[in-house]
Amino acid sequence: MSQVAQGRGRGGFIAGFLLAPLALYLTFVIWPYVQTFGYSFTNWTGQSPTFDFVGVDNYTALMKDEVFRGALWNNLLLLVFVPVVTILLALFFAFMVNAGGRGGAGGVQGVRGSGFYKIVYFFPQVLSLAILAVLFGAVYRTDEGGLLNGVLIRLGLVDRQHPVEWLNEPRLVLWCLLLVVVWHGVGFYLVLFSAAMQSVPKDIYEAALLDGAGRAQTFFKVTLPLLWDSVQTSAVYLGIAAMDMFVLVSTMTSGQFGGGPDHHSEVMATVLMRNFLYFGKSGYACAMGVVMLVLTMILSVITLRATRRERIEF
Amino acid sequence: MSMASTGEGLGRRDLIKRSAALGLITVPTMGFLSACASGGGESTSGPSKAATSAQNPFGVSKGSKMDVVVFKGGFGDDYAKAWEAAFDKKWGTTSSHLGTQEITGKLQTRFNGGNPPDVVDNSGAQRIKLDVLFKSNQLADLTPVLDAPSLDDPSKKVRDLLIAGTVEQGTQGGKFISLNYVYTVWGFWYSGKLFKEKGWTAPKTWDEFLAVCTKAKEAGIGGLAHQGKFPYYINVVIMDLIAKKGGLDAVKAIDNLEPNAFEGSAVALAAVEAVYEVVEKDLLLPGTNGLTHTESQTAWNQYKAAFIPSGSWLENEQLKQTPEDFDMQFLPVPLLADSKLPLEAIRAGAGEPFIVPEKAANKAGGLEFIRSMLSREWSTIFAQQANSLTVVKDGVDPSVKLRPGTQSAVGALKAAGDNTFNYLYPDWYSEMDTAIQDASNELMAKRIQPKEWIKRAQAAVNKAAQDPNAKNNRRS
């Protein structure tokens, strides 16, 4: 068989495998995006197939929409805090579990009981967000039946007649939600970082130890640089999660699709859904969707660029 | 006014959330679905129909099949099963029953395919929008049912036995297309047992109401509980105070988006200040501002608060949490000084729309089913199984023992007579409704003052006035 025929045969083979998925991908992923983009220039209500073209009206209205701007701000806050807090905690725990212990012949091992910790840390990851919302709903309950309030009242720190209204308190609600996300995420990233750490050859740690490096030095000079790829990926993932937040906010906070009290926990997705399904402003909601898509893409690119480093081979 | 949007309980509200999640996925496919909506083949098999007679005005054929789909929400679907059994017994039909919360999911394809069920309780968060169905000629005109002889008294037409407003509510484009079956009243609720024990009497004026709340606080329980996470409920109190003090003019001013609906209205300010007094005097159940409806209602069922606002679905919603001897009682919102409406006046309206699809295989059966629903027998079955009232006048057999809450709602409705009112703005302007709810949440949490509430509510009204629908939505 000639080279050309062989090449064509292989090409056909590959095309056969790629075309069907590509067609599916175009139909069910790309085409809806295009449609959403199209709808964002209309006054579609979502309840009728008829609508008018309104140009960029939706986008200009969006600029003036204080609720959406507030939601964008909240998303940005979360975007900073969710990845930073989660990754820092996960790195710290992963380091302690894998290389934080002392003693032993090799000198490189986790703290005592690290196997147990790994399992415990991973627990929250097993729970779905819906269960999490119920669970933390009970923690944050605003009367003394709530876990936090119950404990605080019993300790005498909070007045029984005026319990803390966690999720109904404008200054607290976002941080309460942040805690849930972090609590949920740390375990997974701990395991991810653990795996990355375990692939680091022990000799490197031993060398660092022999040179007299302490825990902190070992971490910053050895572990972190070698883990940078994983950290980078995690940041992008957590960033995308922080841009979404829909399930938690909509189930845990007050208001139609959440966002309460008085829009203090609003994220873009909740504003979008409220406009889409409840206010009958689907065209407007599509414009929000387009903005979200663009922002998420920009942020991913920025994160990947900003965190780019010299790759360390080992 | 459709009650469906206000929710008969946990099931519905959860549904809204779930449908939200689903919505995210279906956003892109919406266009696709709506494109299909106009298609759909004609049903080829002719509807089964027998000769008509006085007893059988629509010509139900004996031994035919009935296909019934009901929304299984706050009222459950036991009542429908009991109805179907009664129907089968009388007509020799075989009924198939589906109780579901996913009305759209289960029925959209059937409507499109031209083989819809014979009767549908089109309710819940995933109901199919009635105007869309109507515009695509999917709904049978139920006017013949209204003009058919009533089962209880053949000398009367069915329409004469309906509570006022039922027909208007179900009419679109001059056709009566949906029967809103469940009659709901809104107001405060209390435990007859608790009040008896403590020697309190049901308050008639707002001052008396505050006095009972104060006594409750002294006795170590909360005065007013409300479903803080859903400010819809406390809004009922504020709006009902406005309606009762200002009369129907005040209600219309709000529904018609008058520039002085709230701002500059002494009535509105008095009502908001009255509710704020509860907050200021610290008479709320501690923590109630952040509780869900089930949490606060259950706390109230545990005698932790004297009053709670809600609609008459409350009793059925709380069945499991209510102690046997709780003795649930309805209380019309007490009066402010110089009120135009009497104490007995209540907010009342019908919900839970039942429809018969135009292309139903057994349309005659569907119409007969609707006629039967409007009989005293079936209305009583509903009241017993679902603990709620229906739109049939005196529709509950007096010999039947109702649960105390439903019983007191029946009494309140009788006492109210023609003094009922209802707001339409929540259906017409959901954005305005939401904005006012947000303001109420802030008010109850003591973060804003009544004057600020008025300002925000008026701003919401003014914004709604720019809605293109505002021209068509007018009431007189």
Side-chain angles (χ1 to χ4, degrees):
Chain A
M1 204 191 278
S2 77
Q3 276 292 332
V4 179
Q6 204 177 12
R8 198 178 294 151
R10 200 195 293 144
F13 181 72
I14 292 172
F17 263 101
L18 284 185
L19 271 183
L22 187 68
L24 285 174
Y25 185 77
L26 283 176
T27 318
F28 292 109
V29 181
I30 301 299
W31 178 237
Y33 276 122
V34 176
Q35 268 188 318
T36 306
F37 192 68
Y39 281 132
S40 74
F41 295 106
T42 69
N43 63 358
W44 182 39
T45 61
Q47 287 163 25
S48 130
T50 57
F51 46 78
D52 304 315
F53 182 78
V54 294
V56 292
D57 279 10
N58 286 331
Y59 291 92
T60 24
L62 207 51
M63 301 283 213
K64 293 182 204 141
D65 191 333
E66 275 176 35
V67 175
F68 187 74
R69 283 207 312 239
L72 181 61
W73 174 244
N74 284 344
N75 268 127
L76 291 178
L77 269 185
L78 289 167
L79 188 70
V80 174
F81 283 101
V82 169
V84 169
V85 178
T86 312
I87 290 177
L88 283 184
L89 281 176
L91 270 178
F92 174 72
F93 289 137
F95 182 70
M96 293 312 271
V97 162
N98 288 292
R102 284 284 125 148
V108 185
Q109 63 180 45
V111 293
R112 200 174 300 183
S114 59
F116 172 71
Y117 290 135
K118 265 188 225 176
I119 296 173
V120 171
Y121 282 132
F122 200 70
F123 272 156
Q125 191 64 36
V126 187
L127 303 175
S128 78
L129 281 176
I131 297 173
L132 219 60
V134 175
L135 199 70
F136 275 88
V139 171
Y140 291 134
R141 226 183 118 128
T142 49
D143 63 0
E144 59 179 315
L147 181 68
L148 277 175
N149 272 323
V151 170
L152 290 174
I153 287 172
R154 230 138 272 165
L155 290 176
L157 294 173
V158 166
D159 174 13
R160 188 176 295 269
Q161 291 302 312
H162 301 98
V164 186
E165 297 179 1
W166 300 101
L167 294 170
N168 193 39
E169 181 60 59
R171 285 164 303 157
L172 295 179
V173 60
L174 209 59
W175 306 112
C176 289
L177 291 166
L178 177 75
L179 182 84
V180 181
V181 184
V182 170
W183 185 86
H184 180 239
V186 164
F188 176 79
Y189 291 97
L190 176 144
V191 172
L192 184 78
F193 295 149
S194 288
M197 281 180 193
Q198 273 155 14
S199 71
V200 175
K202 281 209 167 183
D203 335 2
I204 300 183
Y205 281 117
E206 280 168 7
L209 268 181
L210 286 176
D211 287 344
R215 273 180 187 161
Q217 264 180 318
T218 318
F219 177 77
F220 284 109
K221 299 269 164 68
V222 180
T223 315
L224 192 56
L226 291 175
L227 250 57
W228 197 249
D229 275 354
S230 308
V231 172
Q232 200 182 19
T233 317
S234 308
V236 173
Y237 268 103
L238 285 163
I240 291 173
M243 289 298 279
D244 174 17
M245 288 291 290
F246 177 74
V247 178
L248 272 192
V249 178
S250 68
T251 43
M252 291 185 69
T253 60
S254 64
Q256 198 64 246
F257 296 111
D262 205 25
H263 306 301
H264 285 284
S265 68
E266 209 81 74
V267 291
M268 287 186 287
T270 54
V271 186
L272 184 153
M273 286 310 288
R274 196 175 311 121
N275 278 282
F276 189 85
L277 284 179
Y278 196 66
F279 293 164
K281 294 161 92 175
S282 301
Y284 188 47
C286 286
M288 292 182 192
V290 171
V291 171
M292 279 175 73
L293 173 73
V294 171
L295 282 178
T296 315
M297 271 164 44
I298 292 176
L299 286 166
S300 305
V301 172
I302 291 177
T303 318
L304 287 173
R305 285 279 157 111
T307 55
R308 188 192 283 166
R309 298 261 168 114
E310 198 81 2
R311 204 193 166 93
I312 299 167
E313 307 267 348
F314 51 83
Chain B
M1 148 91 217
S2 148
M3 210 174 72
S5 58
T6 68
E8 272 84 60
L10 182 63
R12 268 187 196 180
R13 235 169 260 103
D14 276 354
L15 263 174
I16 295 173
K17 275 160 203 157
R18 233 166 283 152
S19 70
L22 191 70
L24 266 184
I25 305 163
T26 52
V27 171
T29 55
M30 283 297 183
F32 175 66
L33 288 178
S34 51
C36 309
S38 52
E42 295 288 317
S43 163
T44 44
S45 61
S48 46
K49 201 172 172 183
T52 56
S53 67
Q55 279 75 43
N56 189 4
F58 312 111
V60 181
S61 57
K62 302 249 171 198
S64 59
K65 285 193 177 122
M66 279 294 291
D67 188 346
V68 184
V69 177
V70 295
F71 171 72
K72 191 176 176 179
F75 301 118
D77 66 345
D78 289 342
Y79 69 89
K81 287 180 187 156
W83 283 352
E84 288 153 22
F87 197 83
D88 288 349
K89 201 173 160 201
K90 179 170 178 189
W91 296 100
T93 49
T94 339
S95 289
S96 69
H97 171 90
L98 173 65
T100 177
Q101 301 199 328
E102 306 160 42
I103 298 290
T104 298
K106 297 270 196 280
L107 295 186
Q108 187 148 29
T109 46
R110 296 191 57 188
F111 272 108
N112 279 321
N115 59 338
D118 303 315
V119 180
V120 183
D121 167 15
N122 183 26
S123 214
Q126 296 187 42
R127 64 188 179 277
I128 309 181
K129 295 269 176 184
L130 269 182
D131 51 342
V132 176
L133 282 178
F134 172 67
K135 278 177 199 143
S136 32
N137 294 321
Q138 293 281 18
L139 297 180
D141 187 356
L142 302 179
T143 313
V145 179
L146 294 178
D147 294 324
S150 153
L151 280 165
D152 296 319
D153 179 1
S155 69
K156 279 189 180 156
K157 284 180 180 177
V158 166
R159 70 163 76 233
D160 299 329
L161 299 176
L162 298 181
I163 283 174
T166 313
V167 178
E168 288 75 14
Q169 208 165 3
T171 300
Q172 281 196 29
K175 282 184 181 170
F176 181 59
I177 49 151
S178 73
L179 171 68
N180 292 281
Y181 191 63
V182 184
Y183 205 60
T184 306
V185 295
W186 284 265
F188 282 121
W189 300 79
Y190 63 93
S191 156
K193 184 198 172 196
L194 181 72
F195 272 51
K196 208 170 181 184
E197 257 177 34
K198 304 277 182 190
W200 303 335
T201 46
K204 292 190 172 66
T205 66
W206 194 255
D207 287 338
E208 287 174 29
F209 176 81
L210 293 175
V212 175
C213 287
T214 313
K215 279 186 210 154
K217 260 308 203 233
E218 282 160 6
I221 65 176
L224 174 66
H226 77 112
Q227 300 81 336
K229 205 181 168 194
F230 305 101
Y232 160 85
Y233 294 86
I234 200 66
N235 253 8
V236 168
V237 180
I238 296 176
M239 292 297 169
D240 283 14
L241 281 170
I242 294 178
K244 290 175 99 161
K245 187 172 167 67
L248 292 180
D249 289 338
V251 177
K252 284 174 204 160
I254 295 171
D255 281 344
N256 287 338
L257 311 176
E258 305 282 341
N260 57 355
F262 294 108
E263 201 127 54
S265 156
V267 169
L269 185 63
V272 181
E273 276 173 344
V275 172
Y276 190 64
E277 231 180 310
V278 180
V279 182
E280 224 172 14
K281 293 191 168 151
D282 211 6
L283 299 174
L284 286 177
L285 166 74
T288 192
N289 286 331
L291 294 184
T292 66
H293 61 300
T294 31
E295 286 166 354
S296 56
Q297 285 161 192
T298 303
W300 168 74
N301 273 149
Q302 293 162 349
Y303 305 107
K304 285 185 185 155
F307 300 103
I308 197 160
S310 185
S312 47
W313 61 79
L314 179 70
E315 184 161 50
N316 205 50
E317 189 170 65
Q318 291 298 113
L319 265 190
K320 286 197 189 113
Q321 288 79 26
T322 312
E324 208 35 63
D325 57 352
F326 189 79
D327 190 23
M328 203 178 281
Q329 294 292 321
F330 177 79
L331 173 75
V333 173
L335 290 184
L336 294 170
D338 307 321
S339 281
K340 284 199 180 140
L341 298 182
L343 172 70
E344 291 77 21
I346 42 177
R347 182 197 296 221
E352 207 81 5
F354 281 77
I355 53 173
V356 176
E358 178 68 22
K359 289 174 189 153
N362 193 356
K363 190 174 155 192
L367 295 175
E368 182 61 36
F369 198 87
I370 299 282
R371 183 168 84 117
S372 313
M373 280 169 64
L374 298 172
S375 69
R376 187 173 248 203
E377 184 199 343
W378 284 32
S379 169
T380 304
I381 291 177
F382 186 83
Q384 275 178 316
Q385 302 274 356
N387 294 301
S388 284
L389 312 177
T390 73
V391 290
V392 183
K393 257 186 225 165
D394 299 323
V396 183
D397 201 288
S399 66
V400 172
K401 201 165 156 17
L402 296 170
R403 295 190 66 87
T406 313
Q407 187 60 59
S408 72
V410 174
L413 201 51
K414 267 208 178 115
D418 291 336
N419 278 315
T420 63
F421 58 90
N422 202 355
Y423 283 95
L424 300 178
Y425 78 89
D427 271 357
W428 284 349
Y429 313 107
S430 30
E431 211 171 338
M432 161 181 156
D433 184 28
T434 308
I436 298 180
Q437 287 187 25
D438 285 345
S440 299
N441 186 26
E442 294 300 287
L443 183 84
M444 297 315 281
K446 228 177 175 172
R447 289 193 286 266
I448 64 171
Q449 301 285 311
K451 290 212 170 79
E452 175 69 13
W453 188 97
I454 294 280
K455 220 188 218 165
R456 289 176 61 159
Q458 187 65 47
V461 168
N462 296 346
K463 196 175 174 204
Q466 294 160 10
D467 187 317
N469 289 323
K471 270 175 267 152
N472 312 328
N473 297 341
R474 291 203 70 82
R475 67 184 287 182
S476 50

